[in-house]
Amino acid sequence: MSRPGEPSGRAGRRTELDPVVYRFGSALALREGPGKDKVDDNGGPLGSPVSPLRPRVSAAANTSSSSSSSGSAPAKPPAPASCDTSPTAAADRSRGSKPGHRRSSSGPLIFSDRNGGSGGGSSSASSPLTNVLPAGNICPSGKITGMVPRTTARSDVLGSGTGNYGHGSIVRGGTSGGVPRIDAGTGSLVDPSARRPTASADPQLVTKAGNEQYKRGNYVEALRFYDKAVAMFPGNAACRSNRAAALMGLGRLGEAVRECEEAARLDPANRRVHHRLACLYLRLGQIENARLHIFSTGNQPDPVELQKLQTVERHLGKCGEARKIGDWKSALREADAAIVAGADSSPLLIAMKSEALLRLHQIDEADSALTSSPKFEMLCAPYLNTKFFGMHPEAYVYIVRAQVDVALGRFENAVEVAEKAKWMDSRSIEVAMILNNVKSVVKARIQGNELFKSGHFAEAITAYGEGLKYDPSNPVLLCNRAACRSKLGQWEKSLEDCNQALRIQPSYIKALLRRADSNAKLERWAESVQDYEVLSKELPHDPEVAEALFHAQVALKMSRGEEISNMKFGGEVEEVTSLEQFQAAICLPRASVICFMAVSNQKCSQITPFVNSLCIRYPSANFLKVDVDKSPTVAKAENVRVLPTFKIYKSGTRMKEMICPSQQVLEYSVRHYSL
């Protein structure tokens, strides 16, 4: 049995809600007193994820069928829903009927024709009778009383009756709008076109269906049912609380807050709604709002929830202190601790984490953190009325986003977002300063690019330097200045800018290209080959990178005094047709990669295109292929039994043998032995 103040937990945890009673189409919310053990309509504890609705009070249970004639008898309670409507069962039940009422199974049915005459005969209780339309009650004498002249034809049917009248009750309009069916509660044939309650229109059944889906974790389906219940009874607190539970399961916390706030307005004393609101506000990092709802009902708060709130509050305070002094490692640590303690969906804490990562030169991680942050448009107004680090909370998130965009070269978007922050909080000095910095960096980048295109490289260096005064760690400006210095032959300074840019953003492709080129200009071939090999993985189909790598590899081998037999870039895989040709190839001083394959082999066909690409990317290696069907002597001499098989030789010595290798293993071996 869950305690009234037990936490609702994170998204997907099931929590309690208030039960609801529906009587005669109106909703009445019943609040339970604390500490009382109750069960739902399924016999389960009230601590289930959602509140059950109490069974509806059926109007049929309080009323009975009555005859329009003066001689009708008092009605009996309706038959059970699963009653037998067969003629035999009706005859058994007729023993308990009152005198003066004849059941259809005990004698002939007497009914009037269209001219008011009478006739006799037996008929199935469920058979529709056309043009034979009694308008009164069947009496023991066989006469029909209360006859009303009929002027228009109607499609009435002879129903199976109730406990008082047995088979033969008349149901008006039985064949219009569809095929008549037997009502499970009364046993009578009913008109399908008549207005009647359905499962989809019954809030009891709709909510129960939503509860079942919620228990299974199908929050989308549960929300669909709860939406229907709210549409039927928008003023019911329990329906809205159930809907909030499903929204929490879907991670739509802002909408869940709004739904709970409305439920609290409708039922201010509902402890469960306030408990859910406290949990939601804590997850969103709103300490004051969470505390307000924890103590809202005047009862002693749950100690676990109170301790969680105090822990998050403590980490938030330390996070703000670290930010003031620029201790970004501590700020990152405290932000992570607050998120783990319970504020796992706070946009402000995630923005704080992103800002710390940006200052620690982890730009990609900062961008990834912001991408996963909840959107402020989905949050409620109380969240946006607070202050965070002295700023409007939404403005703070915007300035962090703007700085990350500038670092990644998304300059236009950065200006737009920074201006949004200024509009949200026009009085903040920090927001105004960051907007000015962003605009200055963008302006410097535009001026520098124009000067670079016109060939004024020295002036472009000055322009990029002006932008770096406002953002000293901007990798885009550093890389652009490196390009200008490379054009002026300032290779060492170009390397410095590239190294600094790559320390801030290791995945910056342009900076890596310029550093590889600068190392090549300085004849630092080992460093140049290393950079070009990384680039060949990132840009596998770039011919310029492949050619630059080839020339750097050749220059590296020549600097080491190694013999180079192939100075031509872009060689093809050479086919071996004789044992003598094979022996000559493997004796070369450079690495020879031999692929034993067969055209008919599916695995060989799949890996052949990859071998061709390796031949282009690693031109310093010698690639050969042996078709075992055409050259069985070579395959036999090398004892090849499984295809495809790869062997790497160097100066006549076998360095590596691979049987059916993966692409990653094959490339790693080729790269290792081709250097």
Side-chain angles (χ1 to χ4, degrees), residues 377-567:
E377 293 77 13
M378 304 303 294
L379 299 180
C380 58
Y383 189 81
L384 303 179
N385 293 332
T386 58
K387 290 290 184 179
F388 194 74
F389 299 145
M391 290 175 278
H392 187 281
E394 194 168 3
Y396 172 71
V397 175
Y398 280 148
I399 63 170
V400 174
R401 175 82 269 178
Q403 293 175 89
V404 172
D405 285 342
V406 165
L408 292 173
R410 299 193 285 254
F411 295 102
E412 292 77 10
N413 188 69
V415 173
E416 180 182 353
V417 173
E419 288 178 343
K420 284 183 179 180
K422 179 65 175 178
W423 181 83
M424 294 297 302
D425 193 346
S426 59
R427 297 182 179 181
S428 174
I429 298 176
E430 185 173 355
V431 170
M433 181 185 67
I434 291 177
L435 174 61
N436 180 66
N437 290 350
V438 168
K439 288 184 175 180
S440 298
V441 170
V442 173
K443 180 180 178 181
R445 178 246 187 184
I446 293 174
Q447 291 178 349
N449 288 357
E450 291 176 352
L451 292 168
F452 182 89
K453 292 176 182 178
S454 61
H456 299 87
F457 304 118
E459 292 82 353
I461 290 175
T462 303
Y464 292 134
E466 287 296 321
L468 288 168
K469 293 179 181 179
Y470 297 95
D471 188 2
S473 300
N474 188 278
V476 176
L477 296 183
L478 289 168
C479 186
N480 287 0
R481 190 171 69 176
C484 296
R485 287 174 168 174
S486 178
K487 291 289 185 180
L488 294 175
Q490 301 174 6
W491 314 117
E492 291 290 351
K493 291 184 177 181
S494 177
L495 275 176
E496 291 176 4
D497 284 341
C498 289
N499 287 332
Q500 187 176 353
L502 289 169
R503 278 195 297 269
I504 300 168
Q505 189 179 3
S507 61
Y508 197 0
I509 297 298
K510 286 186 177 180
L512 195 61
L513 276 167
R514 283 165 185 160
R515 188 174 72 175
D517 180 67
S518 295
N519 277 320
K521 294 295 193 301
L522 293 170
E523 296 185 356
R524 298 173 181 173
W525 301 115
E527 293 84 350
S528 181
V529 168
Q530 185 177 0
D531 285 342
Y532 279 126
E533 284 182 341
V534 175
L535 289 166
S536 67
K537 292 182 180 180
E538 298 293 333
L539 307 171
H541 304 295
D542 191 318
E544 294 182 2
V545 172
E547 185 172 1
L549 174 60
F550 169 75
H551 292 304
Q553 288 174 333
V554 170
L556 177 61
K557 290 180 178 294
M558 292 178 65
S559 66
R560 293 173 177 174
E562 298 180 10
E563 181 181 353
I564 305 297
S565 60
N566 181 18
M567 298 291 293

Side-chain angles (χ1 to χ4, degrees), residues 16 363 474 512 633 647:
E16 298 177 304
I363 299 177
N474 188 278
L512 195 61
T633 305
K647 296 186 179 184

Side-chain angles (χ1 to χ4, degrees), residues 99-103 107-111 118-120 137-146:
H101 293 77
R102 177 182 299 173
R103 293 191 172 275
L109 294 176
I110 302 176
F111 45 84
S118 61
N137 296 324
I138 302 175
C139 297
S141 62
K143 297 181 180 181
I144 301 177
T145 63

Side-chain angles (χ1 to χ4, degrees), residues 59-365:
N62 299 321
T63 59
S64 60
S65 302
S66 60
S67 172
S68 62
S69 67
S70 60
S72 60
K76 294 172 60 179
S82 59
C83 64
D84 189 354
T85 58
S86 64
T88 304
D92 294 337
R93 291 192 300 271
S94 68
R95 298 187 184 95
S97 61
K98 295 182 180 300
H101 293 77
R102 177 182 299 173
R103 293 191 172 275
S104 60
S105 60
S106 60
L109 294 176
I110 302 176
F111 45 84
S112 63
D113 58 19
R114 296 189 63 179
N115 297 322
S118 61
S122 62
S123 173
S124 172
S126 60
S127 301
L129 304 178
T130 58
N131 299 327
V132 183
L133 307 173
N137 296 324
I138 302 175
C139 297
S141 62
K143 297 181 180 181
I144 301 177
T145 63
M147 296 293 295
V148 179
R150 192 73 173 273
T151 57
T152 58
R154 295 192 302 183
S155 57
D156 295 354
V157 301
L158 191 62
S160 58
T162 64
N164 291 305
Y165 295 99
H167 297 284
S169 297
I170 304 302
V171 181
R172 301 298 184 188
T175 59
S176 62
V179 180
R181 66 175 181 84
I182 296 176
D183 185 85
T186 64
S188 300
L189 288 177
V190 296
D191 181 5
S193 64
R195 295 176 61 87
R196 62 184 183 276
T198 61
S200 61
D202 190 337
Q204 168 81 12
L205 298 179
V206 170
T207 303
K208 184 176 181 180
N211 294 354
E212 291 298 324
Q213 294 296 330
Y214 186 95
K215 293 173 184 176
R216 298 172 186 170
N218 300 329
Y219 301 120
V220 174
E221 290 299 316
L223 181 61
R224 185 170 63 86
F225 285 110
Y226 293 149
D227 285 342
K228 291 182 180 179
V230 171
M232 295 175 191
F233 297 98
N236 186 274
C239 290
R240 292 192 174 274
S241 186
N242 284 357
R243 186 174 188 272
L247 290 168
M248 289 179 68
L250 293 172
R252 294 158 61 177
L253 303 187
E255 295 175 82
V257 168
R258 288 197 294 269
E259 207 66 34
C260 282
E261 290 283 4
E262 179 63 17
R265 186 188 66 81
L266 294 169
D267 188 3
N270 193 315
R271 295 184 62 191
R272 295 177 183 172
V273 171
H274 286 291
H275 175 263
R276 174 167 285 112
L277 272 170
C279 295
L280 282 166
Y281 280 128
L282 182 63
R283 292 186 63 187
L284 293 171
Q286 300 186 55
I287 301 302
E288 294 304 322
N289 287 334
R291 181 181 287 108
L292 174 67
H293 288 282
I294 284 180
F295 292 96
S296 61
T297 57
N299 297 313
Q300 186 67 23
D302 185 286
V304 176
E305 288 300 307
L306 185 58
Q307 182 181 3
K308 185 186 296 185
L309 183 144
Q310 293 171 348
T311 302
V312 173
E313 185 177 22
R314 183 174 64 255
H315 288 303
L316 273 173
K318 292 182 178 180
C319 190
E321 293 173 1
R323 184 179 186 271
K324 286 181 181 179
I325 62 176
D327 185 0
W328 297 109
K329 289 184 178 180
S330 297
L332 178 61
R333 183 177 62 253
E334 295 298 332
D336 283 332
I339 291 172
V340 172
D344 61 336
S345 299
S346 170
L348 297 175
L349 273 174
I350 295 174
M352 177 69 254
K353 178 179 178 179
S354 178
E355 184 181 21
L357 289 168
L358 178 66
R359 301 304 181 194
L360 294 172
H361 305 321
Q362 301 179 40
I363 299 177
D364 293 331
E365 292 81 356

